[in-house]
Amino acid sequence: MTNIPPIDTKSAIIPHNAPMTYERMIEYINIFAERYKCFHVTYLGQSMLGKNIPLITLGKGKKTALYIGAHHGMEWITTALLLKFANEYCELLEANGHIGHTSVSYLNASRSICIIPMLNPDGVNYQLEGISGDNPLRERLIKMNGGSEDFSSWQANARGVDLNHNYDAGFADYIRSEEAKKLAGGAPSKWCGNLPESEPESGLLANYVRFNEDIGLFIAFHSQGEEIYYGDCFDPPIENLRAGRVLARMSGYKLTKTEGTATSGGFTDWVVKELRKPAFTVECGKGKNPLPIDSLFEIYFKLRRMLFEAPMIV
Ligand SMILES: [Zn+2]
């Protein structure tokens, strides 16, 4: 990539002038892990093309909220959002600061926040950088992409499966639909794969969630629309709706019901269906994907309070 300014390692402030590739995210994570005692990083596992998928933990509490960014290739602004949040969290904790009435020290002692900033690193890099000459799937991918080498509208993972249609919630109905049949074999977006959790990224996340009983709140960050979805197709418990209303109030975003096939096989729906816990899809920002990186400040400003205070509602 050209014209990308190097990371300022002194301030490490998440820039508003460069898109968030996988490599750039890793550079920030390494800086934060070295700088902040409270910033812990491990790896969920590896993507289809062998990239380690980072899992950041903030806080020491048993009650845990899980934030997930970039299920989709065009939505890397959610990675920048979550890193910006983690950065401010650590700064405020060290300065004994507050967000609104909430002390970050209290938050840190009583809650944990786990962050997977980029679930789909291969898809993000396809979208930003295109397909490399040595990609073993190159020919198949160009075919999936309608014969084009322009991958700037790519949402799926490395082999054309849309991760947010790859969970076991409404999957069987979706794969039989006319829409899915047209996409079978792989597509830039909306192909669900042959089986739920067929992909390393969705399988790793689902297993992590299944075996981590302390997680009481799930937020999957996508772009765009300034809306919050709450898995209404799967008859969520009334507590989920209440929690959704609180998130909507904190962010100014609209709590919205699902329409059409937008969430068939979606992560939020799967958590609601399988685990009966509060789970939400937050559509960050407004505009056309990929949202420009210079909209990060406005998106962060609106979601800042929710990012800090949402863990307190579980
Ligand atoms: Zn998305």
Side-chain angles (χ1 to χ4, degrees):
M1 294 195 61
T2 52
N3 299 326
I4 301 293
I7 291 174
D8 174 355
T9 51
K10 277 206 188 100
S11 74
I13 288 173
I14 303 298
H16 298 185
N17 60 358
M20 188 58 73
T21 60
Y22 172 75
E23 290 72 21
R24 209 165 168 83
M25 169 186 73
I26 294 293
E27 280 192 67
Y28 280 110
I29 286 175
N30 289 341
I31 293 168
F32 295 160
E34 199 169 305
R35 175 175 302 175
Y36 302 117
K37 272 202 304 249
C38 61
F39 186 99
H40 302 284
V41 60
T42 175
Y43 295 95
L44 191 64
Q46 289 192 330
S47 70
M48 179 69 72
L49 295 183
K51 292 188 179 70
N52 288 325
I53 301 173
L55 169 67
I56 298 160
T57 304
L58 306 168
K60 298 174 185 161
K62 185 170 161 60
K63 290 182 177 176
T64 302
L66 176 64
Y67 297 163
I68 304 135
H71 259 88
H72 286 139
M74 295 168 89
E75 301 174 14
W76 40 260
I77 201 158
T78 58
T79 306
L81 175 83
L82 292 172
L83 289 182
K84 193 170 170 65
F85 163 67
N87 190 8
E88 192 184 16
Y89 180 104
C90 297
E91 288 287 333
L92 281 173
L93 182 65
E94 292 194 351
N96 218 357
H98 289 71
I99 286 283
H101 298 295
T102 306
S103 143
V104 178
S105 303
Y106 174 72
L107 178 63
N108 190 68
S110 62
R111 298 290 189 279
S112 289
I113 304 172
C114 293
I115 302 172
I116 299 166
M118 189 183 282
L119 184 69
N120 180 13
D122 301 329
V124 166
N125 278 12
Y126 281 11
Q127 194 278 324
L128 285 170
E129 297 177 336
I131 308 294
S132 66
D134 60 355
N135 188 311
L137 302 169
R138 186 176 164 81
E139 274 178 37
R140 256 180 67 195
L141 288 163
I142 291 174
K143 211 168 154 195
M144 283 177 206
N145 202 33
S148 170
E149 291 194 33
D150 174 2
F151 281 76
S152 60
S153 297
W154 193 265
Q155 291 280 53
N157 77 344
R159 60 171 182 178
V161 176
D162 188 322
L163 298 177
N164 208 37
H165 286 278
N166 191 234
Y167 300 94
D168 193 7
F171 186 95
D173 288 340
Y174 182 66
I175 200 169
R176 283 196 295 266
S177 71
E178 287 308 311
E179 180 181 357
K181 277 181 192 161
K182 279 186 220 145
L183 306 169
S189 70
K190 296 195 175 171
W191 165 239
C192 57
N194 290 321
L195 290 167
E197 296 173 36
S198 58
E199 304 310 292
E201 301 87 359
S202 48
L204 287 164
L205 176 59
N207 270 342
Y208 173 69
V209 162
R210 264 187 202 105
F211 299 111
N212 194 333
E213 289 177 3
D214 294 334
I215 304 173
L217 174 72
F218 302 77
I219 305 181
F221 290 86
H222 289 252
S223 68
Q224 50 80 43
E226 298 196 342
E227 290 180 310
I228 300 174
Y229 295 93
Y230 61 101
D232 59 287
C233 297
F234 293 92
D235 191 23
I238 189 71
E239 296 77 35
N240 292 23
L241 184 58
R242 284 198 201 112
R245 287 188 182 131
V246 174
L247 300 187
R249 207 162 51 233
M250 286 173 174
S251 59
Y253 282 19
K254 191 173 168 230
L255 193 65
T256 305
K257 288 200 170 199
T258 309
E259 277 177 33
T261 57
T263 58
S264 302
F267 175 74
T268 294
D269 299 273
W270 176 74
V271 173
V272 170
K273 174 178 164 264
E274 288 295 316
L275 307 177
R276 312 297 295 153
K277 288 182 177 179
F280 303 92
T281 299
V282 172
E283 295 283 359
C284 303
K286 251 190 171 159
K288 190 174 176 299
N289 280 330
L291 294 180
I293 190 68
D294 61 12
S295 60
L296 177 61
F297 181 81
E298 193 188 333
I299 293 170
Y300 187 69
F301 184 76
K302 280 198 181 168
L303 292 179
R304 183 171 175 252
R305 185 177 157 210
M306 188 193 83
L307 286 159
F308 276 94
E309 294 189 350
M312 302 304 290
I313 66 180
V314 293

